[in-house]
Amino acid sequence: MRSTCPIAQSLDILGDRWTLLVIRDLMFVGKTQYGEFLNSPEKISTNILAERLKRLEQAGIIEKQAYQNNPPRYEYHLTQKGRDLRPLLSEVCKWGLEYVEDTQIPPSLKQETVQKN
Amino acid sequence: MRSTCPIAQSLDILGDRWTLLVIRDLMFVGKTQYGEFLNSPEKISTNILAERLKRLEQAGIIEKQAYQNNPPRYEYHLTQKGRDLRPLLSEVCKWGLEYVEDTQIPPSLKQETVQKN
DNA sequence: CGGGATCCGTCTTGATACTG
DNA sequence: CAGTATCAAGACGGATCCCG
């Protein structure tokens, strides 16, 4: 928490190399489980993923649901707060497509990513 | 460079705690000089700022213009590539205003920040 | 004096091994 | 297979120095 600027505050939560990628997987790729996030091509490491999931849950952006008890297994889902990051992600995607070379919408990314808006 | 996903690629450039704050200062607060960035309430340190300005210039997001030769002094300005980050920043701002407590548009942020879109 | 570079201590990140 | 422990590497904060 560095100032009351909404951009600075948002960046305290989202401003790192991995958080928005996890949210991308939840929002556009349909992933919900730990192992699915690990399989993404960017290869997040296990401790970083666990820590980000924890922080995102604490921030109220995702929710953890048990779908099995023995052994306990969880699914992660976006809350409304998380779903409302869609326009933001969409702009990140559009900018990347326009300005960064060698980008393409991976098949995993549903087209709504860019179409939306 | 981690995959061809435009989100991942964009995050390679923008995904850290400071880069988008510098761009915020350039885009909405009208800052152009080194010392002005240093004065922002988030208190970026000098080495980080210098390094980010260099990376942003290399990425083609900002340009450095000498406005004085002795001693040499520079102004930094957004390129078109940088200006096109406006919708992205705008979404970051809107999300923060809606979901992060104690945020308010600082007077320094022109209202277009949010109105735009 | 203002724009940076450099150095150093600390905190964060990340790769990997490991545990239930 | 989900998550933790460990430890190395990198990012960061802050002070200081340097140069025009």
Side-chain angles (χ1 to χ4, degrees), chain B residues 18 45-48 52 70 72:
Chain B
W18 293 108
S45 55
T46 62
N47 53 348
I48 304 294
R52 290 302 188 279
N70 199 328

Side-chain angles (χ1 to χ4, degrees), chain B residues 25-44:
Chain B
D25 282 349
L26 285 158
M27 188 174 307
F28 299 123
V29 195
K31 300 189 173 183
T32 62
Q33 296 178 22
Y34 193 86
E36 297 179 308
F37 302 123
L38 284 182
N39 286 334
S40 290
E42 294 85 10
K43 294 299 163 207
I44 189 172

Side-chain angles (χ1 to χ4, degrees), chain A residues 79-115:
Chain A
T79 62
Q80 188 58 47
K81 181 175 179 179
R83 269 177 253 122
D84 279 352
L85 287 167
R86 177 180 289 265
L88 195 164
L89 258 308
S90 175
E91 292 299 338
V92 174
C93 187
K94 285 199 289 189
W95 188 84
L97 283 172
E98 177 151 7
Y99 284 110
V100 190
E101 291 182 21
D102 298 326
T103 55
Q104 53 189 29
I105 311 187
S108 51
L109 250 70
K110 297 173 190 155
Q111 277 117 348
E112 5 163 4
T113 315
V114 185
Q115 285 167 359

Side-chain angles (χ1 to χ4, degrees), chain A residues 17-18 45-48 52 73:
Chain A
R17 209 171 238 68
W18 295 107
S45 56
T46 60
N47 56 345
I48 302 294
R52 291 301 189 279
R73 287 293 123 96

Side-chain angles (χ1 to χ4, degrees), chain A residues 6-26:
Chain A
I7 296 179
Q9 297 265 15
S10 299
L11 258 25
D12 270 350
I13 304 176
L14 309 170
D16 76 279
R17 209 171 238 68
W18 295 107
T19 301
L20 286 175
L21 287 177
V22 174
I23 295 171
R24 171 203 63 182
D25 282 350
L26 285 159

Side-chain angles (χ1 to χ4, degrees), chain B residues 2 6 11 13 25 28-29 32 34 40 46 48 51 64 72 75 82-83 93 98-99:
Chain B
R2 304 176 291 190
L11 258 26
I13 303 175
D25 282 349
F28 299 123
V29 195
T32 62
Y34 193 86
S40 290
T46 62
I48 304 294
E51 198 265 351
K64 191 184 191 174
E75 281 182 349
R83 269 177 253 122
C93 186
E98 177 151 8
Y99 284 111

Side-chain angles (χ1 to χ4, degrees), chain B residues 8 21 23-24 31 38 41 51 66-67 69 100 103 109-110 112 114 116:
Chain B
L21 287 178
I23 296 171
R24 171 203 65 182
K31 300 189 173 183
L38 284 182
E51 198 265 351
Y67 67 93
N69 284 342
V100 189
T103 56
L109 250 69
K110 297 173 190 156
E112 5 162 4
V114 185
K116 148 98 209 196

